[in-house]
Amino acid sequence: MSSKDNARMEISYGTVGFRDYSLEHAFEKIAAVGFTLVELSSMEPHLDDIPTGASLERVKKSMRECGLRAGTVHAPLGENVLGAPEESWRIEKVGVCSDYLRLSGELGAGGTVIHPVPNPMLLENVEHIGQEQAIVDAVRRSLDDLVPVAIESGVRMLLENLPYENDGHYPLLSMTELRPLIEPYPQEAVGLVVDTGHAWTSGHNPVGEIKAAGERLWGTHLQDVDGENPQDNHWAPTQGNLNWHAIRQALLDVNYRGNWTFEVIRPRDGHNESPDELAHITFEAASKLELHP
């Protein structure tokens, strides 16, 4: 992993921005804009099934022919979390995460983005303090199980801050909680990914989240949101109200060494840009604001 860690930082674009296209078509679109790295989405129709054999080789060939490399892979969403409070649920999802860590290694990606905790809507009695502790304990057990897989695969797990409503009790939604959680684990196996839109949506300043993550920050989901009523909008930079100059400076201040990855999915309310146009807007904004090394 050292060669990836020391490589020059580059800007990356999530294939989720082209979720209505095949993975191969998404690669073509992203490369045409000028990106050299991609984050591969596990959402249908991209990597919702683990490709193996000839299918895996086709994915690699398609990336290679487009002049792209895999920066990160986003593991499945929804119930696929580390902190499943029911043990059977947790064990099942550890298996899923293991598969995506190995796939990330096969694709040459340096990190796998994983959600640490479930959406509270998936749980019963979420306000019960025992369940909150069960979630935290489950995350730790899952990390214990997955660290050997990550090390063997040469891939770093990247735990993401999430935008769920928080009454002050639901655990592990911010970097101030996630950073101490992962501190005991090897840096080459466990890191953090900050989503700027998730941060603002959940009431946290992305700058503070970046600084709290510090040297354990190895991934980004750069997206813009509305300043007054953020809804995890996933707009292109400058289409919302985040302070991108401050975000860039914070990443430089913590000596961020991961990829500068944009997770842009939809146009601002009232706009109708196509996925191609949003990717172009993102690339141009990244250049103008120097949202890359």
Side-chain angles (χ1 to χ4, degrees), residues 200 226-233:
W200 196 256
D226 185 79
E228 297 297 323
N229 185 31
Q231 299 292 321
D232 188 24
N233 305 107

Side-chain angles (χ1 to χ4, degrees), residues 7 14 22 31 41 43 53 57 59 95 109 116 118 122 136 141 157 170 212 254 256 264 282:
S22 70
S41 169
M43 295 176 66
E57 291 307 313
V59 173
L122 297 174
V136 175
R141 290 199 304 278
M157 289 182 279
Y170 198 71
V254 300
Y256 175 63
V264 176
T282 299

